[in-house]
Amino acid sequence: ELYKLYGPQVKKVMRRLKAHVYPILKKQETRVEHKLWMGRRLDVRNVANPLGTVFEKKNQKGQEPSTALAVLVDMSESMTGQRMEYAKFAALCLYEFCRKTGIPITIYGHHTDGHSHRRLEAETVFLHSLAEYMPEADDPYRILQMQPTGSNRDGTALLFMGNKLLQRREKHKILVIISDGLPNATQYCGKAAQKDLMQIKRDLTKEGVTFLAAAIGTDREAIREIYQEAFLDISDMEKLPVLLAKQIIKYIRRW
């Protein structure tokens, strides 16, 4: 029943994506990669490159972009109300977008048990599988079942999702984060948590993970400080799915 309510909105977004984003993907199918180490065709524009990257390769029509996507949604109690609804909507639209374009996608939500603990070991972090890389018919319904509760220990969730992405064979790996604020868990808040997230981002970036952080709460400047160039300042939440999709395509075009 909830999916029926979201259906018309999702279709509206899909129409916008089809008009503005899909043509870019089609154009990418026949793009030429330059500055390659090996190949059969010389890259005339870079034939004198001292690094030795003097080859080029033309992607054949119909070739899918070698990209995998992971979406991590903050399900902590502060997401209650409209924020959670926007997060559901954005995750569902991204899921449908990736299914249509052939981009593998997994979606997870995360929160803690929400209790105050004296010992760090006593805290439980929950990770909810809403969609795996092998799609199932029930995926959209799981996405819409997200309910806010507990607190958020973002570092644990980021490491989990980063490792899932790094196991993929796709060349380009994008981790999308949808959150309304900074972490707030047992012995994990403030500057210490912020420093931890920045280090995790640096480590995963070195491994080849690209971040996109959509901030939908009031702690935008703090989130910007953590994710820096990956931060998305979104004032109109209803445009969130389209803006995220456009950012994903922007990275694909760079590659």
Side-chain angles (χ1 to χ4, degrees):
E1 292 300 316
L2 190 58
Y3 183 75
K4 290 179 182 178
L5 292 176
Y6 277 82
Q9 294 174 284
V10 173
K11 288 180 180 178
K12 184 179 178 180
V13 170
M14 288 298 108
R15 284 195 295 269
R16 288 184 62 189
L17 291 175
K18 187 174 182 179
H20 299 289
V21 177
Y22 288 5
I24 298 174
L25 275 176
K26 281 293 180 182
K27 187 177 180 180
Q28 288 300 108
E29 291 176 350
T30 55
R31 69 192 178 110
V32 177
E33 294 183 65
H34 299 280
K35 295 185 179 181
L36 301 178
W37 291 99
M38 301 175 63
R40 297 179 180 179
R41 293 172 33 161
L42 281 176
D43 185 351
V44 178
R45 295 184 302 178
N46 297 285
V47 71
N49 192 327
L51 296 176
T53 52
V54 297
F55 295 96
E56 68 179 17
K57 176 185 176 183
K58 184 177 181 180
N59 287 339
Q60 298 301 313
K61 186 172 177 60
Q63 182 175 336
E64 297 289 352
S66 181
T67 304
L69 197 71
V71 180
L72 181 63
V73 181
D74 179 358
M75 289 173 56
S76 63
E77 195 168 357
S78 62
M79 290 283 287
T80 299
Q82 197 172 37
R83 294 176 183 177
M84 190 76 260
E85 298 310 309
Y86 280 134
K88 290 179 184 179
F89 180 51
L92 184 58
C93 288
L94 283 178
Y95 177 82
E96 297 291 353
F97 167 72
C98 287
R99 290 294 309 277
K100 293 286 186 182
T101 55
I103 299 174
I105 182 172
T106 184
I107 301 175
Y108 271 73
H110 72 100
H111 61 86
T112 70
D113 54 31
H115 301 302
S116 297
H117 298 283
R118 291 184 178 180
R119 296 185 304 108
L120 177 62
E121 296 81 359
E123 185 173 63
T124 302
V125 176
F126 294 91
L127 289 152
H128 297 263
S129 172
L130 309 172
E132 296 290 347
Y133 285 116
M134 290 298 292
E136 297 182 5
D138 291 340
D139 288 345
Y141 310 135
R142 277 192 288 271
I143 293 169
L144 292 178
Q145 282 182 335
M146 282 191 286
Q147 295 296 330
T149 185
S151 299
N152 54 311
R153 192 177 194 90
D154 296 36
T156 301
L158 280 180
L159 286 171
F160 176 82
M161 293 301 281
N163 287 329
K164 282 184 73 71
L165 265 177
L166 291 174
Q167 293 172 19
R168 297 292 303 181
R169 294 183 178 180
E170 286 77 13
K171 184 178 179 181
H172 311 296
K173 304 167 178 64
I174 302 176
L175 176 51
V176 178
I177 302 152
I178 302 175
S179 176
D180 74 327
L182 295 174
N184 182 25
T186 301
Q187 301 176 33
Y188 196 75
C189 59
K191 290 294 182 181
Q194 191 171 345
K195 185 178 179 181
D196 181 58
L197 291 179
M198 293 174 72
Q199 185 60 54
I200 291 172
K201 178 182 178 291
R202 283 193 294 267
D203 292 342
L204 289 175
T205 299
K206 288 179 182 178
E207 293 289 328
V209 175
T210 298
F211 284 75
L212 285 175
I216 60 176
T218 56
D219 291 332
R220 293 183 181 181
E221 289 308 312
I223 295 176
R224 185 198 299 272
E225 186 176 346
I226 294 171
Y227 295 104
Q228 300 173 16
E229 78 288 346
F231 172 79
L232 295 180
D233 189 359
I234 299 170
S235 55
D236 187 347
M237 291 295 105
E238 293 185 359
K239 295 179 180 179
L240 176 59
V242 175
L243 290 175
L244 281 173
K246 286 184 176 179
Q247 287 294 318
I248 293 165
I249 295 303
K250 184 176 75 173
Y251 280 106
I252 291 176
R253 292 182 73 180
R254 285 183 188 175
W255 298 322

